[in-house]
Amino acid sequence: MAPVAKVGGLADVISGLGKALQKKGHLVEIILPKYDCMQVDQVSNLKVLDVLVQSYFEGNMFNNKIWTGTVEGLPVYFIEPQHPAMFFSRAQYYGEHDDFKRFAYFSRAALELLYQSGKKVDIIHCHDWQTAFVAPLYWDVYANLGFNSARICFTCHNFEYQGTAPARDLAWCGLDVEHLDRPDRMRDNSHGRINAVKGAIVYSNIVTTVSPTYALEVRSEGGRGLQDTLKVHSRKFLGILNGIDTDTWNPSTDRYLKVQYNAKDLQGKAANKAALREQLNLASAYPSQPLVGCITRLVAQKGVHLIRHAIYKTAELGGQFVLLGSSPVPEIQREFEGIADHFQNNNNIRLILKYDDALSHCIYAASDMFIVPSIFEPCGLTQMIAMRYGSVPIVRKTGGLNDSVFDFDDETIPMEVRNGFTFVKADEQGLSSAMERAFNCYTRKPEVWKQLVQKDMTIDFSWDTSASQYEDIYQKAVARARAV
Ligand code: ADP
């Protein structure tokens, strides 16, 4: 949940969608693990409650300390297990050898918290495999205890990550292995393990993913083995494009920026470009030299070879490139460290290989163009944030990129919606030609470019529309539940 515990886009969704639903009058409460590495300074009124919630795990009952606080105006419960494995005191959110165990524990404890609180919940909305256990636990365990007012919505933000384990490990959180280790329930479609996301697809009332195009893609190869399961459950499955949090991402109020600006005052944007160049020690003789930004997790999905190509191509086209990215994969991190070294003395290229929220805001504001050459992209937020800051996206037509970026030169679509540059094939040629078209427009037709920037900055990427779609499916599920 941004900004307290953020790794990527999922964090933005939790606070963005949460706030939008709250604004529509719903009571939204968030449950998170009490990670030792979270940004506690972003939580107001953090305090421990005077109750202990006991939850089941591996044959024993464990106490959980429950903390509450407010994040971005949303009430949050933080669960701190009193378990010897110190599940959430690992100095990172995920990537531990026992992640399956950590999140199976969390899912059980979170449901127990809701059950013991006596709340009459309408919708429990779970995100990604880490909370997928909630769906079978709710229907197989808690509904039998009379805690059955809720309907479960599961959102998969990326089908690459499914949470698999040997079937017996399901028993840790109290699930019935024999009952669930079946091809129509939780057994993985291609090997003998069990699959948490499959369980959530089978057991949830609503299943969503984060864009309409990705929802189509995952019904075939994009489903990483779950395509058949999604087809069987297609009636409850749909893609809803994420919004962005337009309070956090607002160039006219953004405190991280040197100068705030809006679509009518692009001087302010130029001032941010100058400031970033100074900060990163980039050449600054030509204010109009185009600056290309890229902010990403450096993983195969993001098209790392194309990102590398974009750096060299920008140098060739006479632009400047700023990459902000970090990689959980040591080889990729090393490769990019090598590229950073290679360009060390080149004052047109900077690679900053870390996670840095403040710097990300400055790069969105300073850049003229923004590269997202993903191999696949469930939704992608960076292209939308870039547009809001007047940086024109150059993206591969896949997943949510295909639902949010429309090619400037494509005469088959209305001019009003054309907002960036796209390419189809995931190869260097495709990317090069999109970049060339963008550079051409930028240098040869500055007035046209300016209008494009202004148009991009005024597109509505807020959560309003998408939150209404969630509201609609929640309400239908609740109505069905009440009719029963
Ligand atoms: P994903 O969830 O696959 O990482 P998204 O495009 O949905 O990709 O979301 C990425 C989010 O993470 C954006 O808010 C982006 O600004 C942020 N981000 C990614 N890498 C970094 C980084 N190195 N430093 C700061 N913010 C980052």
Side-chain angles (χ1 to χ4, degrees):
M1 182 190 193
V4 272
K6 171 163 166 172
V7 178
L10 185 151
D12 296 285
V13 173
I14 305 309
S15 30
L17 175 61
K19 282 202 283 187
L21 289 167
Q22 190 186 50
K23 232 194 213 156
K24 289 175 184 292
H26 299 282
L27 171 59
V28 183
E29 297 181 326
I30 316 282
I31 307 179
L32 295 178
K34 188 163 184 298
Y35 295 109
D36 61 341
C37 50
M38 69 184 196
Q39 314 256 234
V40 230
D41 56 329
Q42 303 282 355
V43 188
S44 40
N45 305 321
L46 181 64
K47 57 174 185 286
V48 67
L49 289 187
D50 195 18
V51 291
L52 278 179
V53 168
Q54 283 207 321
S55 63
Y56 173 91
F57 207 66
E58 285 186 283
N60 295 304
M61 297 301 286
F62 292 95
N63 284 329
N64 297 281
K65 262 195 203 171
I66 309 296
W67 298 71
T68 60
T70 307
V71 176
E72 301 267 299
L74 289 163
V76 184
Y77 292 90
F78 300 93
I79 297 181
E80 184 186 0
Q82 311 289 292
H83 185 287
M86 308 292 283
F87 288 132
F88 302 109
S89 302
R90 306 287 185 81
Q92 64 172 352
Y93 299 112
Y94 57 73
E96 295 286 297
H97 70 282
D98 58 348
D99 276 357
F100 193 89
K101 199 173 242 193
R102 297 169 70 218
F103 292 105
Y105 183 99
F106 171 68
S107 296
R108 175 86 198 215
L111 268 177
E112 198 60 51
L113 167 64
L114 288 178
Y115 174 55
Q116 291 183 26
S117 71
K119 288 177 195 288
K120 212 154 171 346
V121 179
D122 286 322
I123 294 286
I124 302 175
H125 193 155
C126 308
H127 297 267
D128 274 359
W129 76 261
Q130 288 87 346
T131 57
F133 309 93
V134 165
L137 271 173
Y138 181 76
W139 289 115
D140 280 354
V141 179
Y142 286 88
N144 299 331
L145 301 174
F147 176 42
N148 57 6
S149 66
R151 290 300 174 264
I152 311 285
C153 177
F154 175 73
T155 297
C156 185
H157 295 251
N158 191 332
F159 281 89
E160 179 129 302
Y161 309 106
Q162 299 181 1
T164 68
R168 61 173 184 276
D169 295 357
L170 267 188
W172 290 336
C173 63
L175 285 169
D176 181 339
V177 177
E178 236 170 86
H179 175 69
L180 292 168
D181 183 19
R182 289 179 19 172
D184 60 338
R185 296 199 176 138
M186 289 188 77
R187 189 182 299 160
D188 191 86
N189 295 338
S190 54
H191 47 70
R193 293 159 73 88
I194 48 91
N195 182 318
V197 168
K198 180 170 172 180
I201 296 169
V202 173
Y203 274 84
S204 297
N205 303 88
I206 307 165
V207 180
T208 74
T209 190
V210 289
S211 70
T213 298
Y214 189 58
L216 282 178
E217 291 168 354
V218 297
R219 285 189 179 93
S220 54
E221 301 91 79
R224 308 284 152 133
L226 287 178
Q227 45 272 41
D228 291 339
T229 310
L230 288 167
K231 278 184 212 148
V232 171
H233 294 276
S234 64
R235 285 191 51 198
K236 61 180 175 188
F237 176 56
L238 84 165
I240 299 178
L241 191 71
N242 285 337
I244 56 173
D245 184 331
T246 45
D247 301 328
T248 306
W249 302 109
N250 183 353
S252 65
T253 54
D254 192 326
R255 298 250 181 94
Y256 289 118
L257 305 189
K258 182 86 179 172
V259 180
Q260 282 87 31
Y261 64 101
N262 57 52
K264 291 198 198 94
D265 148 43
L266 294 177
Q267 279 306 320
K269 183 164 173 67
N272 285 292
K273 184 170 171 181
L276 186 76
R277 284 170 152 178
E278 194 181 319
Q279 182 187 345
L280 299 179
N281 206 9
L282 285 163
S284 55
Y286 307 103
S288 66
Q289 186 181 9
L291 194 145
V292 182
C294 180
I295 300 172
T296 186
R297 291 183 298 124
L298 290 164
V299 291
Q301 169 202 337
K302 301 291 179 183
V304 278
H305 65 292
L306 295 177
I307 294 172
R308 185 183 55 211
H309 177 71
I311 299 171
Y312 287 90
K313 186 72 190 176
T314 300
E316 180 195 315
L317 292 171
Q320 294 186 318
F321 198 100
V322 175
L323 168 75
L324 174 62
S326 63
S327 186
V329 185
E331 303 88 80
I332 299 180
Q333 180 78 16
R334 269 197 301 276
E335 181 192 344
F336 277 81
E337 279 163 8
I339 304 173
D341 284 348
H342 176 82
F343 284 110
Q344 204 178 10
N345 299 320
N346 181 325
N347 57 7
N348 284 318
I349 311 286
R350 282 293 170 270
L351 276 61
I352 302 113
L353 301 176
K354 60 173 182 182
Y355 184 92
D356 186 335
D357 194 38
L359 183 57
S360 78
H361 287 247
C362 301
I363 296 172
Y364 287 118
S367 55
D368 299 297
M369 301 170 200
F370 197 89
I371 294 274
V372 195
S374 304
I375 305 304
F376 74 95
E377 191 59 75
C379 176
L381 298 176
T382 60
Q383 78 281 11
M384 297 193 235
I385 303 171
M387 284 189 258
R388 185 142 164 90
Y389 283 72
S391 182
V392 177
I394 302 172
V395 311
R396 185 161 169 262
K397 260 173 110 52
T398 178
L401 298 168
N402 183 54
D403 296 324
S404 56
V405 183
F406 305 96
D407 196 279
F408 190 65
D409 297 319
D410 184 348
E411 286 167 4
T412 66
I413 47 180
M415 193 60 194
E416 311 88 82
V417 299
R418 298 188 220 162
N419 56 8
F421 295 86
T422 66
F423 61 102
V424 177
K425 270 187 84 185
D427 59 18
E428 296 183 355
Q429 243 175 342
L431 172 58
S432 286
S433 97
M435 288 181 69
E436 281 160 14
R437 288 190 292 120
F439 269 73
N440 249 325
C441 181
Y442 178 91
T443 34
R444 301 219 180 127
K445 299 178 192 154
E447 261 316 301
V448 174
W449 186 269
K450 187 176 164 199
Q451 283 165 14
L452 175 59
V453 168
Q454 288 174 323
K455 174 164 69 182
D456 282 5
M457 290 185 71
T458 49
I459 301 174
D460 180 8
F461 287 117
S462 74
W463 266 101
D464 257 9
T465 317
S466 308
S468 298
Q469 286 176 268
Y470 277 107
E471 193 180 32
D472 186 48
I473 53 172
Y474 293 158
Q475 270 162 354
K476 285 189 179 130
V478 169
R480 279 195 302 273
R482 297 210 172 123
V484 170

